[in-house]
Amino acid sequence: MASLVDVRDLLALQGRMEAQRIGKILALPLPRVAAMLEQLERMGKAQRVQAEPDACLSSSCKGCPESQGCQRELWMLTH
C-alpha cells in the first residue's frame, strides 16, 4: 500500500494534481488519499490550490454561470 512519502513524491513529480488522480495512480481509495493530503497540509508539506478557470478543458468556463461550482481543487507541494 502506498505511503505518505509516495503521495509526496507523486506531487513532486507531477506538480499539481487532483486527489482523485492521485488515488487512481497509487491505487488508493479517495478517503485515504484525502486524509494523507490533509496530513501533508498539516505538516506544511502540501497545499490546496484552485485550478484557474482558463484551465478548463472545454474552454467554456469563463462564460459559464456555473463556473464557480465546477472549480477543481488541486494539490501541490509547498516550497
Side-chain angles (χ1 to χ4, degrees):
M1 178 158 284
S3 69
L4 206 56
V5 173
D6 295 322
V7 173
R8 186 207 58 199
D9 290 348
L10 185 58
L11 285 174
L13 289 172
Q14 299 294 320
R16 297 179 181 193
M17 295 187 75
E18 290 180 306
Q20 252 183 335
R21 181 78 177 129
I22 294 169
K24 285 182 182 180
I25 291 171
L26 297 177
L28 292 172
L30 188 56
R32 181 159 171 87
V33 172
M36 294 171 96
L37 289 168
E38 288 171 7
Q39 178 64 33
L40 286 170
E41 185 177 42
R42 283 191 297 275
M43 295 168 61
K45 302 291 183 188
Q47 66 182 20
R48 301 169 204 242
V49 293
Q50 294 296 320
E52 297 297 322
D54 60 348
C56 175
L57 296 176
S58 69
S59 300
S60 61
C61 286
K62 289 181 184 176
C64 175
E66 301 294 324
S67 65
Q68 296 301 317
C70 66
Q71 282 189 340
R72 300 177 337 187
E73 180 179 84
L74 303 174
W75 288 86
M76 63 182 280
L77 293 182
T78 57
H79 298 285

